[in-house]
Amino acid sequence: MSEVNLQKPAITLEEINFQTLAEDAPVTLWLTDIHGNIIFTNNQYKNFIGREKVERLGGKAWFNALHPDDRDYCLTVFKDAFETYKPFTMEYRLRRRDGEYRHFIDHGEPYIDGHGRFAGFVGSSTDITEQKLSEDELKKSHQELTQYNYEMNLINQLNSYLQVCRSVDETYPIVSYYAEQIFPDCTGALYLFNDKKTLVESMTTWGIIDDIKSAPVIAPDDCWSLRQGKEHTTLDNDGRLRCKHVGDGISTYISEPIIAQGEMLGMLHIEFNTAKHKVGEEKTYYVESRKRLVKITADNLALSLVSLKLKEALQSQSVRDPLTFLFNRRFMEESLEREIHRCARAQHGLGLIMSDIDHFKKFNDDYGHDAGDLVLVEYANLLKTHFRSSDVICRYGGEEFIIIMPDIDRENLIKRAAMLCQEISSLELLYQNKPLPPITESFGVAYLHNTLIEKADIIKRQILLFMKQKIMDGIRLWFLLQSLLVFNQVVC
């Protein structure tokens, strides 16, 4: 075995000055006495707080540098530690010599003197600011992702309802309901163009309705968003970029056009009621995130609305007469069956008025088919203004018209028919700047009530049969129905 020479250390443990090591340690070290007074801090601590402050304030320098919101917490932790002699850990914010607050974590351990008595705490302080920032960023990212998922879920729910709507009008309360959840603490409105594309009208609003600063009806030129065909945002710009349709009192809002297949359908307008409480980068970030959400919502609305408009157009073509835009025979028969069943269930009265333009063929022969079309259109317009929106006005055949009137009594039914007779007698039409001869009509009236549901189909067939017979007869007498009894009634 070869001999190994072990060199003697250049310095022994006894010769080491532990205070010197503590002073120059790369971490912040401190020591307290039994009363909690700080009796030792190292250079790391002094350099952080500022040597002048430490020399001037002594042990109070640490407490003076504490963030005001953290002082009570730290004192509570210290008090508990000195009462129980137990190790402690605490987090707080401490002001650096340049004024910046940094996050620290302290670990304190009780130490015992040579007589076995508690003599105070020894501990270290570690700057965890970067770690806290990373944790905050991660937490913020998680919150943003959670919020994004929540908002996308709401938009998916909105789309789910919009896809099963049967008309554009059905979408308004749905849009209002979900917009309140997608944009909480905001006030907003959905604007759509009218049929002539001359005005943009508010179809539904949400939020604090009384506080909305945007006008209910606006001209397209009054909105920067509609002019440019892209999003327009104001952010505390003292009104210089404010749209004309937005009044005073709102400094931050977004207007996003609703565009589908190259067609501008309207605009989504969002006013931020709480944005005024945000400042600086927080406010800018908030508005930017809302802009993305408004864009997503507007795009989804655009697809749903254009689909519904197309569906409505196709539906209208299938149930409307192309000349008069009244309901056609197919829709009349479907409505008649539905209303007879409703009448039977609710025990409400159901009225029908049938009219036939007299000698219409001769009218066409003498004045031409364009004049005949004019008569049909003007007579249809008269019917639209004369009856309720709940009444179903139909063009049954060439010059035959039928009005289905739900929930009406017999007296009002006869009165309506008589008033229609009077208005027709005073109707004056011009064709090519020349007056046309007076128009006369043959009328019939039917009234139905106290009907049994099982008899509804029989009554429908009987009514349609009478219609065909009376149209062929061309007479002025028609019928009143009560259950299955038929009566004659002169109307006009």
Side-chain angles (χ1 to χ4, degrees):
M1 179 183 294
S2 61
E3 183 178 350
V4 178
N5 293 323
L6 297 176
Q7 294 182 351
K8 183 179 179 181
I11 187 171
T12 65
L13 290 175
E14 290 78 6
E15 296 172 322
I16 296 176
N17 186 331
F18 282 98
Q19 183 171 354
T20 301
L21 290 177
E23 284 282 4
D24 296 330
V27 294
T28 300
L29 300 176
W30 50 266
L31 181 69
T32 74
D33 62 16
I34 190 172
H35 302 294
N37 300 314
I38 298 176
I39 58 177
F40 170 78
T41 55
N42 66 352
N43 288 325
Q44 189 83 3
Y45 169 85
K46 295 182 179 71
N47 291 334
F48 182 89
I49 297 289
R51 288 185 175 274
E52 292 182 359
K53 291 181 181 179
V54 174
E55 291 174 0
R56 185 174 72 253
L57 298 174
K60 295 181 180 180
W62 175 82
F63 185 79
N64 187 65
L66 269 177
H67 193 285
D69 294 343
D70 297 336
R71 288 174 181 173
D72 289 342
Y73 160 72
C74 289
L75 288 177
T76 300
V77 173
F78 265 132
K79 181 180 179 182
D80 182 68
F82 277 89
E83 288 177 354
T84 62
Y85 307 151
K86 292 181 179 179
F88 68 87
T89 299
M90 65 180 180
E91 288 187 24
Y92 55 86
R93 286 161 291 178
L94 197 65
R95 187 175 62 247
R96 197 165 57 187
R97 62 182 181 276
D98 60 2
E100 178 187 349
Y101 279 100
R102 305 284 290 181
H103 289 267
F104 273 82
I105 185 168
D106 270 16
H107 297 288
E109 290 284 343
Y111 72 91
I112 308 300
D113 62 14
H115 302 287
R117 292 174 299 187
F118 171 73
F121 276 90
V122 60
S124 65
S125 302
T126 305
D127 188 336
I128 60 169
T129 303
E130 302 306 323
Q131 177 184 338
K132 290 289 291 185
L133 290 175
S134 298
E135 290 176 356
D136 290 343
E137 286 296 323
L138 184 61
K139 183 178 179 181
K140 183 178 179 181
S141 297
H142 176 72
Q143 290 174 341
E144 290 175 354
L145 180 60
T146 302
Q147 180 68 18
Y148 176 81
N149 290 335
Y150 171 74
E151 291 164 349
M152 291 303 101
N153 182 51
L154 288 174
I155 290 178
N156 289 335
Q157 291 180 37
L158 170 63
N159 286 336
S160 178
Y161 279 97
L162 293 178
Q163 288 173 6
V164 296
C165 284
R166 298 184 181 276
S167 66
V168 174
D169 289 345
E170 273 191 335
T171 67
Y172 303 147
I174 295 172
V175 170
S176 175
Y177 175 80
Y178 278 101
E180 285 184 349
Q181 300 178 68
I182 297 171
F183 304 103
D185 302 324
C186 294
T187 300
L190 170 65
Y191 287 87
L192 294 180
F193 275 97
N194 62 2
D195 293 337
K196 297 181 180 179
K197 298 289 185 180
T198 55
L199 294 173
V200 189
E201 303 177 36
S202 173
M203 311 311 294
T204 185
T205 56
W206 56 87
I208 308 174
I209 306 303
D210 294 338
D211 284 348
I212 191 165
K213 302 302 181 183
S214 182
V217 180
I218 63 178
D221 281 349
D222 289 343
C223 178
W224 291 115
S225 172
L226 296 176
R227 280 201 201 184
Q228 300 179 90
K230 64 180 183 180
E231 163 265 322
H232 172 70
T233 302
T234 66
L235 183 61
D236 295 334
N237 57 25
D238 61 33
R240 284 176 289 179
L241 292 180
R242 185 186 300 149
C243 298
K244 291 183 180 179
H245 64 90
V246 180
D248 296 334
I250 187 73
S251 59
T252 304
Y253 70 88
I254 295 175
S255 293
E256 180 73 39
I258 299 174
I259 303 174
Q261 299 178 358
E263 178 187 5
M264 189 176 295
L265 305 176
M267 172 189 67
L268 194 60
H269 177 80
I270 306 291
E271 298 175 359
F272 298 96
N273 305 313
T274 58
K276 59 185 177 182
H277 302 304
K278 303 179 186 297
V279 295
E281 292 184 3
E282 180 189 11
K283 185 168 189 174
T284 302
Y285 178 81
Y286 171 77
V287 174
E288 288 298 319
S289 67
R290 297 305 88 189
K291 283 167 63 174
R292 291 191 293 271
L293 187 58
V294 171
K295 175 64 175 174
I296 293 172
T297 306
D299 288 345
N300 281 271
L301 279 174
L303 293 175
S304 297
L305 289 173
V306 76
S307 176
L308 276 172
K309 284 181 175 291
L310 177 60
K311 187 187 299 184
E312 283 186 338
L314 294 175
Q315 175 68 13
S316 178
Q317 291 175 10
S318 68
V319 300
R320 295 278 182 178
D321 169 53
L323 177 63
T324 63
F325 294 104
L326 299 178
F327 291 113
N328 57 22
R329 178 171 177 170
R330 169 191 164 190
F331 188 81
M332 184 278 295
E333 294 189 2
E334 292 176 355
S335 300
L336 181 60
E337 181 176 4
R338 180 180 65 250
E339 295 303 332
I340 289 175
H341 279 82
R342 286 185 65 247
C343 171
R345 290 192 186 93
Q347 295 297 302
H348 291 160
L350 176 63
L352 293 94
I353 299 177
M354 177 181 174
S355 68
D356 187 343
I357 299 177
D358 296 330
H359 313 298
F360 189 72
K361 182 178 182 304
K362 186 175 184 304
F363 197 95
N364 275 336
D365 292 341
D366 293 345
Y367 297 95
H369 288 282
D370 287 344
D373 288 348
L374 173 65
V375 171
L376 293 173
V377 170
E378 291 300 324
Y379 180 58
N381 292 336
L382 178 63
L383 293 178
K384 293 174 188 176
T385 59
H386 185 74
F387 290 95
R388 305 169 300 179
S389 59
S390 58
D391 297 334
V392 183
I393 309 171
C394 310
R395 184 183 177 192
Y396 185 75
E399 66 274 18
E400 298 92 19
F401 299 85
I402 292 175
I403 302 97
I404 302 173
M405 305 179 67
D407 195 12
I408 194 171
D409 56 46
R410 183 186 312 208
E411 289 73 19
N412 281 321
L413 174 63
I414 300 299
K415 187 183 298 184
R416 288 274 184 173
M419 290 174 59
L420 184 58
C421 287
Q422 294 176 1
E423 293 193 23
I424 290 172
S425 64
S426 61
L427 185 63
E428 297 180 357
L429 299 178
L430 294 177
Y431 176 66
Q432 295 181 347
N433 294 324
K434 294 181 181 180
L436 294 174
I439 300 171
T440 60
E441 292 273 335
S442 295
F443 281 84
V445 173
Y447 182 70
L448 183 67
H449 71 101
N450 294 334
T451 303
L452 299 176
I453 294 178
E454 56 267 24
K455 295 181 180 179
D457 291 335
I458 301 174
I459 293 173
K460 175 195 170 186
R461 290 195 297 270
Q462 190 172 8
I463 289 175
L464 293 176
L465 178 62
F466 270 105
M467 286 179 180
K468 293 176 182 178
Q469 291 177 346
K470 297 306 173 181
I471 288 172
M472 289 187 294
D473 293 344
I475 61 175
R476 292 174 179 268
L477 298 181
W478 209 26
F479 54 91
L480 280 167
L481 279 178
Q482 184 173 2
S483 295
L484 290 179
L485 301 178
V486 181
F487 302 91
N488 287 333
Q489 172 73 33
V490 177
V491 178
C492 183

